Amino acid sequence: MNFGERSAQRKRARDLKNEIKQLKKQMIDAGGEKAVINRLLGEFEATIWEAGTLSADYEVSSRHISQAREAITRLLDCMGESPAQEVRQSLKTLAETLDMVYHDCSIRQDDMDFQSTITCFKEMAPGYGSEPGSRKDIMLRSELENMKAVLDDASGFRAPDFFALAYYNLHGEKDSLKEMENEQRNIFLADYLKEHFSEEFFAEVQQRGVERQVRELMNTYIGT
């Protein structure tokens, strides 16, 4: 993160804090109990900030998954007809893109099967074309097909509720999500958020007449 990005992030954090202060005043003025409001808005602020980070990271992952899928499709279509040096450069660029596809809700960095495929791909890619039509080149093509299958699956996943995911990351056992399938995880997170926070929180903000402001804050800082 460069200086400009850090500066923008600090300003965003200050803006959020000011929005929360105004929201707190409105809710207390509307008859809310100060201790309850402080607790709920404290959790809300921390969660919305974490959710924004998760959403931005997921966007980066999704963009690179799309780029990698397109690159692999092009390679599979024309690598046998293109000059070896040109293909090796495309493979190098693909390897750099693949380093950016990871996210806990798409392709996890601790997915050992995918990591094994990536490792084999990176070992074989620099030698592509040194022996045209060799077994190594055939194996490289197979690894590209394997990677594309994983990327295709990940591209079809429904994006998580980032607010629910953020709340769980802050309050739950993060490692317990590892073994869950995508939809199973989404359902679990929604239930957890409702039980531990959102049901009480939204009942309170509705009662104090500030639900619209809360929804706007979520849209501004999470983008959902």
Side-chain angles (χ1 to χ4, degrees), residues 110-126:
D110 57 6
D111 182 335
M112 291 299 101
D113 289 340
F114 188 69
Q115 285 293 352
S116 176
T117 300
I118 293 290
T119 299
C120 291
F121 160 71
K122 288 184 175 180
E123 289 174 351
M124 289 186 288

Side-chain angles (χ1 to χ4, degrees), residues 17-193:
K17 191 169 291 293
N18 288 334
E19 297 272 15
I20 295 294
K21 284 180 180 178
Q22 292 176 21
L23 199 57
K24 184 183 298 184
K25 183 178 185 305
Q26 286 179 267
M27 293 177 74
I28 292 173
D29 288 349
E33 184 180 335
K34 186 174 182 179
V36 172
I37 301 304
N38 284 339
R39 173 176 59 82
L40 290 175
L41 287 182
E43 291 186 38
F44 178 68
E45 181 179 0
T47 303
I48 204 172
W49 185 257
E50 172 73 3
T53 300
L54 291 170
S55 177
D57 290 346
Y58 188 84
E59 184 180 339
V60 170
S61 168
S62 297
R63 184 170 67 251
H64 285 90
I65 286 173
S66 178
Q67 290 172 356
R69 291 175 68 213
E70 292 172 3
I72 292 174
T73 297
R74 288 195 300 270
L75 280 161
L76 291 174
D77 285 346
C78 65
M79 63 190 297
E81 302 169 2
S82 301
Q85 184 175 355
E86 182 179 310
V87 173
R88 284 195 294 271
Q89 181 57 49
S90 295
L91 292 169
K92 181 181 177 183
T93 301
L94 172 61
E96 294 168 354
T97 301
L98 288 167
D99 287 338
M100 302 294 290
V101 301
Y102 299 105
H103 190 279
D104 284 351
C105 296
S106 52
I107 301 174
R108 297 184 62 91
Q109 199 136 19
D110 57 6
D111 182 335
M112 291 299 101
D113 289 340
F114 188 69
Q115 285 293 352
S116 176
T117 300
I118 293 290
T119 299
C120 291
F121 160 71
K122 288 184 175 180
E123 289 174 351
M124 289 186 288
Y128 173 81
S130 57
E131 300 175 33
S134 68
R135 183 170 177 273
K136 287 183 178 180
D137 285 357
I138 295 172
M139 289 176 63
L140 175 60
R141 185 179 185 89
S142 177
E143 296 297 357
L144 287 170
E145 291 170 346
N146 291 338
M147 288 190 298
K148 186 172 185 300
V150 175
L151 294 166
D152 286 346
D153 282 347
S155 71
F157 291 164
R158 179 168 64 90
D161 178 335
F162 294 107
F163 190 82
L165 177 61
Y167 187 85
Y168 189 79
N169 282 354
L170 292 170
H171 300 279
E173 293 292 333
K174 193 174 178 181
D175 286 347
S176 67
L177 301 177
K178 286 183 178 181
E179 304 305 320
M180 293 186 186
E181 296 293 335
N182 185 260
E183 285 306 309
Q184 179 190 12
R185 184 194 61 244
N186 289 342
I187 293 169
F188 171 81
L189 290 172
D191 290 344
Y192 185 92
L193 178 69

